[in-house]
Structures are given as C-alpha cells and as structure tokens.
Amino acid sequence: MLQKAHGKLCLLKTQTYKWYKAFKEGREKVQDLPRAGRPSTVSTDENIEKIKKMIIDNRRLSVREVAHEVEMSHMSVHNILTEVLGIRRVAARLVPKELNFLQKEHRKAAAEDMISRVSSDFTFVKRIVTGDKTWVYEYDMQTSQQSSEYRLENEPNPKKPRQRRSKIKVMLTVFFDYRGVVHSEFLPDGQTVNKEYYLSVMRRLRENIRRKRPDVWKNNSWILHHDNAPSYTSILVHEFLAKNSTNAIEQAPYSPDMAPCDCFLFPKLKLPLRGRRFESIEAIKENLQKELKALPSSAFKKCFED
C-alpha cells in the first residue's frame, strides 16, 4: 500500500518492518537516538588542558610543534584546537600606528558617541555623508590573490617580475551616503590639498547635497564625516561649517576601520584597476568613474549597516 501511494519515496520493505518493530517495542521518536561513538583516547580533559596552556603561553606555536610536545597526532591536536577549544590561527592585522592611551580613549569616546546616537535615532546613519581622498596610480601591482593561478602538480609555479607603482597618479576625492555617491572630483594638476582647496570642496559638496539630497538639505539634517587631516580640521574649514550650521562627527585618530572610505569604497574601486596600465591621466579618471558608477546602491547600504 505504501509503495502504491508514494512510489520511489517509500521506505524499503526491510526498513518498514524495522520501524514497525521499534514502535511496537515502545519507541516514540523518529529522530536518531543518542548512541555511544568510538571512545576517544586522546581528547581527554588532561590533554585538552595541556594544549590550552601551551597556546596561552605562546600563541605562535604551530600545530606540528604542539603535536610533537604532547606526543599526539597532527590531526588530533588540530581537532582539539578547532572543535574543542574553538581556536583558529589568524594573521596580524596591519594598522597605521600603535595608539597611545589618550588616542585609545579618543577612539572609545567616538565609538560610544556613534552608538548612543544610533540608539536614540535609527535614521542617524542614513543622514551621514562621509568622504575622503586617495591616490590612484597609472600602474599598480596586482595583489597576490589576483596573480595566483591554477596549476597541475607537475607544473612549475608561475613567476612575475618585481615591479613598483608608477609615479603618474591622480587624486580622487569622493563623498557618499547610505544611498550612493553624492560628490566626486579629481585634484587639478599643480594643486595641493590645503585648507583653501578643501574649503572649495566643501562648497561644491554642499551644492551637490542641495541638488541630490533635498530631503536632508531642507531641514539641514545631514551630518558630515571626514578624518583628521590638517586641511580638514583647519580653522578656516571649521568656521565655514559653523557658519552654515553643518553637523560633523568626530573621527578617532589612526582608525581607518571606522572610516567607510578606507574599509569599503577605496579597496573596491582600486582592486579592478590593479595590474592594468593606463595611457594617460584621463584614462585613469575615466576608468575610476566607470568603477564608481558600477557600484550598486545596495553596496553602500550594506556598508553603512555594517
């Protein structure tokens, strides 16, 4: 009857008799019942505690070194580290500078201020306009991941000559918010980024916000976020922002992970351009603008949510 009703989805006859017998003997669950597995001879509390102490004393020990010290197999030590202790080996993260005590306190205060504002106003993040500048080169080397190739076991590893960045470069300044790019421009030839130039950038940014974001411009609810570069924090710029009642968020020193440009936008823009040579400054600008326009609005939204 079961085979006629369910066809190939039906249990085999032997399995049906097996389940019938189990239910008749009092079984009530169809899930797997707990059963004794193969007894562990190495993952004992004593070995786990010994390995844990070794790792705490020296976090740079390799699995092979630990296995040799405790006289266990490589795989057994690896399983204890990953599955029992929940430890994974990670590379050190490169940071611009080791922060001193006051800089750490500043970073903590900036983070707490951001959290408190978001907690009291959910739309706070959507009103932030963040921006920064970056150099883009006529030629920049590929990353190790980009230059890697699939090779057979008997094939030689690929080789590439050691190269350097070109001296021809262009500076991009870009501001964006939750919805996408608000303003972008390139540094003119011969111009340096000083307080006068950045003041002109602020004027152009305000004009673009007025045109592209009329909802936040109308009640002056947009919030500026930039880093602590000397030209950004000059008295001239501060006076201009105060005169126009522009709210700004404090940026912690040497904290690129708290700046969306550094941790999101610039890597996404530069990665597709690495390993490519451009014939002129105009070609660099054209390809940069192309990559900038190709970023979907969902990417900016996710960046701010993160």
Side-chain angles (χ1 to χ4, degrees):
M1 289 173 64
L2 286 171
Q3 288 174 346
K4 187 175 182 180
H6 300 285
K8 294 181 180 179
L9 297 177
C10 178
L11 282 172
L12 295 176
K13 189 174 182 180
T14 307
Q15 289 292 329
T16 306
Y17 278 113
K18 180 181 175 181
W19 278 106
Y20 174 81
K21 181 176 181 293
F23 288 133
K24 189 174 182 180
E25 292 174 352
R27 180 167 177 170
E28 297 180 352
K29 295 181 178 179
V30 295
Q31 291 82 6
D32 287 340
L33 297 177
R35 58 186 182 274
R38 182 178 178 181
S40 176
T41 57
V42 292
S43 298
T44 61
D45 293 341
E46 183 182 353
N47 286 339
I48 292 170
E49 192 61 33
K50 190 175 181 180
I51 292 173
K52 182 180 179 182
K53 187 177 184 305
M54 289 179 63
I55 294 298
I56 291 174
D57 291 342
N58 184 0
R59 293 177 179 268
R60 295 192 175 185
L61 285 174
S62 67
V63 175
R64 193 175 300 280
E65 289 171 332
V66 176
H68 177 74
E69 185 68 25
V70 297
E71 297 180 349
M72 291 168 54
S73 69
H74 183 282
M75 185 57 66
S76 297
V77 172
H78 182 269
N79 289 339
I80 289 175
L81 288 172
T82 56
E83 297 178 11
V84 180
L85 297 176
I87 295 174
R88 61 192 181 97
R89 192 176 182 93
V90 295
R93 184 165 60 95
L94 188 66
V95 294
K97 182 182 177 181
E98 187 69 31
L99 301 182
N100 60 35
F101 172 75
L102 293 176
Q103 290 169 335
K104 287 179 181 178
E105 287 297 311
H106 189 176
R107 179 179 167 92
K108 178 185 173 185
E112 287 178 342
D113 176 58
M114 182 79 71
I115 292 170
S116 65
R117 290 199 193 191
V118 173
S119 301
S120 60
D121 181 10
F122 184 73
T123 63
F124 168 73
V125 173
K126 296 183 179 181
R127 293 186 282 114
I128 296 174
V129 177
T130 182
D132 202 357
K133 60 186 184 299
T134 186
W135 285 111
V136 183
Y137 297 86
E138 177 264 340
Y139 175 78
D140 201 354
M141 301 81 65
Q142 287 183 323
T143 63
S144 299
Q145 182 64 32
Q146 284 180 309
S147 59
S148 61
E149 299 177 4
Y150 286 107
R151 291 293 177 108
L152 295 173
E153 189 175 346
N154 57 352
E155 286 185 302
N157 292 337
K159 297 179 181 179
K160 66 175 183 178
R162 186 180 295 276
Q163 300 183 41
R164 294 184 179 182
R165 288 173 172 171
S166 66
K167 293 183 178 180
I168 302 172
K169 57 186 179 180
V170 62
M171 178 175 282
L172 170 70
T173 302
V174 60
F175 287 86
F176 64 96
D177 66 355
Y178 191 83
R179 288 174 275 184
V181 176
V182 178
H183 173 67
S184 65
E185 63 176 75
F186 294 100
L187 184 71
D189 289 340
Q191 175 68 55
T192 57
V193 181
N194 51 28
K195 56 186 178 182
E196 289 81 11
Y197 170 74
Y198 193 68
L199 181 62
S200 66
V201 172
M202 287 290 99
R203 290 196 174 103
R204 290 189 285 274
L205 171 64
R206 284 177 55 82
E207 178 60 25
N208 275 322
I209 291 174
R210 185 187 66 80
R211 293 188 301 103
K212 298 180 179 180
R213 304 291 186 266
D215 51 335
V216 294
W217 174 265
K218 188 177 180 181
N219 53 9
N220 196 33
S221 61
W222 68 282
I223 303 164
L224 176 66
H225 174 259
H226 53 198
D227 62 25
N228 301 312
S231 56
Y232 299 0
T233 57
S234 66
I235 295 176
L236 186 66
V237 173
H238 270 301
E239 288 178 348
F240 174 78
L241 297 178
K243 180 182 176 181
N244 292 281
S245 302
T246 302
N247 296 313
I249 303 174
E250 205 168 359
Q251 166 69 8
Y254 303 105
S255 301
D257 56 329
M258 297 177 72
C261 281
D262 292 322
C263 65
F264 158 70
L265 184 63
F266 293 156
K268 279 189 175 293
L269 287 181
K270 292 182 179 182
L271 189 62
L273 305 182
R274 279 177 172 265
R276 296 170 57 186
R277 291 192 181 274
F278 300 102
E279 298 176 357
S280 63
I281 293 290
E282 292 304 317
I284 303 174
K285 293 179 179 180
E286 183 181 343
N287 281 273
L288 259 178
Q289 290 284 14
K290 184 179 177 182
E291 294 296 334
L292 197 58
K293 291 177 181 177
L295 287 174
S297 57
S298 58
F300 293 97
K301 181 180 178 181
K302 185 179 184 302
C303 165
F304 276 86
E305 288 174 350
D306 290 344

